[in-house]
Amino acid sequence: LPKVFLDFLEENGLDPSIYIPRYVRVKPGIPEVEMEVKCKLEKVLWLPGFFAIPAHIQIASSKAYQEGKIYGMDAASGAAVMSLDIAHGDHVLDLCAAPGAKLCMLSDLLGNSGSLTGVDVTKHRLAACRTMLQKYSLGHRCRLFVADGTTFSLLPLRYKEWTSRRSWKERKKAAKARPELIFYGPQSGVVGLSKSELGYDKVLVDAECTHDGSFRHIEKFEQWGWATLQRRVLDAKRTDSLTLLQLKLLSNGFKLLKTGGSLVYSTCSLTVAQNEDVVDQFLAANPVAELQEIRAAKNWPCRSGRIPKTLRFDPLQSQTSGLFIAKFTKL
């Protein structure tokens, strides 16, 4: 690791030795895939559907990946999704949907029920989410919006059935709409909610962060150049702007949550500034927000964050990428 990154870790009290196995998630209903991946899959006992694979295996070239049978997804990221306790019929908002692995997992958990709304500020990244949904034969109950997650305000509402045979006039009108809707499945509309009930049952805010807890992300700077890491990740001004963005994303996601619903805030940063400090500021400004115990975490290899009921996946202890998780409910 370069000195600039080691300095960043030291400044935030992080141990550089924590930087681990790769993980895949097998699509529900898919039988044995080891022959297609050409390696031994080690079941993750604490997280159904997840398997550890040797770090050198390139899953993108495997038949199982190309045919949409497995997802490349860290187990800690899967834990963030499982923290939501998705139930049949839930209407779910993924406020920072790209690159799409969590969005697909949410869709798999919902099955043929409820609805899923994905939002991302970058169109090409959200288009990648759309491609992923289509690759894995998901998205019948999903809609994707190109929008700023800090200001997105559309609640689950009735949408007419999607058809690929839309007129040129309709396509042109949709392209000009703000927020721009770039995908909606034939069953993505919500029917039967009264005005007082509108709001999402579950909201996931997996916020933009410095990614310092993600080994796979940090590895990419070997190709991009370590100077890029300093400019894009470690710059103090960028870190300050990120914490403000994270607080705004969390606040807006909570605004769109229905009373009694659950919101999960997560980042793959190991720093206190992007996690507990953001949670503290949010709770101070939102008296109707309350931290919830994450019941599914009883057997997870994680530890408590600085704030009770928050969780931290530490790569050294958890053998996953680093991840912070906080779960809220609206009173």
Side-chain angles (χ1 to χ4, degrees), residues 15-318:
D15 183 352
S17 68
I18 60 178
Y19 290 88
I20 59 180
R22 293 184 65 193
Y23 294 90
V24 295
R25 181 172 73 87
V26 177
K27 188 173 175 63
I30 298 297
E32 183 66 45
V33 295
E34 281 190 353
M35 291 292 291
E36 297 175 34
V37 180
K38 298 180 181 178
C39 73
K40 178 71 175 176
L41 299 182
E42 183 181 344
K43 184 178 291 187
V44 178
L45 298 178
W46 54 273
L47 196 63
F50 279 76
F51 297 83
I53 64 171
H56 69 276
I57 297 296
Q58 300 295 319
I59 66 168
S61 60
S62 71
K63 182 180 178 182
Y65 181 80
Q66 292 170 357
E67 294 183 355
K69 297 178 181 178
I70 61 173
Y71 304 81
M73 185 176 186
D74 192 81
S77 296
V81 174
M82 293 301 290
S83 297
L84 277 171
D85 289 323
I86 298 297
H88 183 85
D90 275 346
H91 301 295
V92 183
L93 171 64
D94 186 350
L95 200 55
C96 307
K102 295 182 185 71
L103 187 78
C104 286
M105 185 172 175
L106 288 167
S107 185
D108 277 329
L109 290 171
L110 283 169
N112 192 32
S113 74
S115 70
L116 178 59
T117 299
V119 176
D120 204 89
V121 71
T122 309
K123 186 171 183 177
H124 76 271
R125 282 169 56 82
L126 197 65
C129 292
R130 177 181 60 195
T131 300
M132 185 176 283
L133 287 171
Q134 292 169 333
K135 171 185 175 180
Y136 290 98
S137 301
L138 300 170
H140 272 67
R141 293 180 173 271
C142 183
R143 55 185 185 159
L144 300 178
F145 289 97
V146 181
D148 183 343
T150 66
T151 57
F152 180 77
S153 59
L154 294 182
L155 295 170
L157 296 173
R158 184 193 299 267
Y159 268 76
K160 69 178 182 179
E161 185 170 328
W162 179 87
T163 172
S164 59
R165 297 182 178 180
R166 290 181 294 169
S167 67
W168 175 85
K169 185 176 181 181
E170 187 178 352
R171 292 198 306 271
K172 186 177 180 181
K173 182 179 179 181
K176 289 183 177 180
R178 290 293 180 271
E180 183 182 351
L181 179 66
I182 69 167
F183 177 86
Y184 58 110
Q187 296 172 298
S188 62
V190 179
V191 178
L193 288 180
S194 68
K195 190 172 182 179
S196 63
E197 293 175 314
L198 286 178
Y200 294 94
D201 298 291
K202 307 286 169 64
V203 176
L204 176 63
V205 181
D206 185 48
E208 174 66 15
C209 67
T210 52
H211 303 287
D212 52 272
S214 172
F215 179 63
R216 302 302 300 178
H217 189 85
I218 295 300
E219 267 189 334
K220 294 177 183 177
F221 288 96
E222 286 279 7
Q223 300 174 346
W224 298 343
W226 293 108
T228 308
L229 174 72
Q230 185 168 11
R231 185 180 72 253
R232 290 175 54 180
V233 177
L234 308 181
D235 180 74
K237 289 183 179 179
R238 171 168 163 74
T239 302
D240 289 343
S241 65
L242 267 180
T243 56
L244 179 59
L245 172 64
Q246 289 157 351
L247 181 59
K248 287 182 176 180
L249 287 168
L250 174 54
S251 300
N252 194 48
F254 190 75
K255 179 181 177 182
L256 296 169
L257 183 69
K258 69 189 298 184
T259 300
S262 296
L263 179 150
V264 163
Y265 170 77
S266 63
T267 83
C268 60
S269 172
L270 297 171
T271 67
V272 171
Q274 297 175 67
N275 297 312
E276 285 93 344
D277 286 355
V278 171
V279 169
D280 276 338
Q281 292 177 67
F282 170 73
L283 288 172
N286 292 274
V288 295
E290 182 177 87
L291 279 167
Q292 282 187 303
E293 198 83 47
I294 300 175
R295 292 174 296 178
K298 288 182 179 179
N299 298 315
W300 290 356
C302 56
R303 58 184 174 85
S304 175
R306 191 191 68 188
I307 301 173
K309 298 182 181 179
T310 63
L311 299 178
R312 279 184 171 272
F313 281 81
D314 180 324
L316 193 61
Q317 175 180 330
S318 311

